[in-house]
Every structure is written in structure tokens, then in C-alpha cells.
Amino acid sequence: MKKIFALLALAGVANLSVAAEVVGDAKAARAKVEMCIGCHGIPGYKASFPELYQVPMLGGQSAKYIESALKAYKKGDRKHPTMQGIAASLSEQDIADVAAYYAQQK
């Protein structure tokens, strides 16, 4: 009986840690956004690999939208080789931080 309670308690703790939402920290993102600025910080910039793309400005976008887009690139649901490579290198915390950073920009 003690083993069952121990397993249930352990399962409960595991569920709490999985359910904990990652909270973005805009200040922590400053070093993380350096790779974004080269394309997303230039008004009217167009990237030419693999095709010609209008690069969107990220400042002022909602954090939820940016998180969703980065997760889709990471998963492969959104197709752009450069963005897929960048998103693949980001942790869940990195994604939340970058989203918080750009959401507070105007």
C-alpha cells in the first residue's frame, strides 16, 4: 500500500512539473535575439534563401503568436530552412524569452 501511495505522489509531482508554464523573461532574451535582429530588425528587408521572402518585423507582435511560430518552425510545420535551423536550437525557455522580448517592443 505504501508503494502505491509513493507512486501516486511521484506521479502527482511529475504532472505538476510538466504542467508548469514557461514564463518568458524579456531581459534574459537580449543575448538571444542577436541572431534575429539581422533580418527582423531591418524595415522592408527581404531574404532570398531559398526563395524571396518578405521578412516580418517582430516588434509589437503578440508573445503567443511568436511562440506559436517558433514552435511550428522547430517542429517542421512551418517551412523556411533558416528559421527551422534557428528554432531547432532554441529551448522552450528561449522561445518564451524571445517572444516576451518582441511583444514588449513597439
Side-chain angles (χ1 to χ4, degrees):
M1 193 65 134
K2 289 182 182 178
K3 288 182 182 179
I4 291 174
F5 285 122
L7 286 172
L8 289 174
L10 184 59
V13 170
N15 282 338
L16 285 176
S17 65
V18 170
E21 187 176 329
V22 177
V23 177
D25 180 357
K27 289 181 183 176
R30 291 194 177 149
K32 299 172 187 178
V33 297
E34 290 174 353
M35 64 186 150
C36 309
I37 294 169
C39 294
H40 292 283
I42 303 170
Y45 183 71
K46 294 180 183 172
S48 60
F49 179 79
E51 299 171 24
L52 189 62
Y53 288 92
Q54 180 73 34
V55 178
M57 297 298 289
L58 297 179
Q61 290 283 1
S62 78
K64 196 172 217 173
Y65 171 78
I66 293 171
E67 282 187 45
S68 175
L70 287 171
K71 288 177 182 179
Y73 282 120
K74 185 172 186 162
K75 191 175 172 184
D77 291 340
R78 286 185 113 175
K79 308 290 184 203
H80 187 278
T82 303
M83 285 303 304
Q84 286 176 319
I86 290 170
S89 73
L90 300 174
S91 69
E92 292 293 314
Q93 185 64 59
D94 293 337
I95 290 173
D97 293 346
V98 168
Y101 176 86
Y102 278 110
Q104 76 174 12
Q105 304 296 307
K106 297 293 175 198

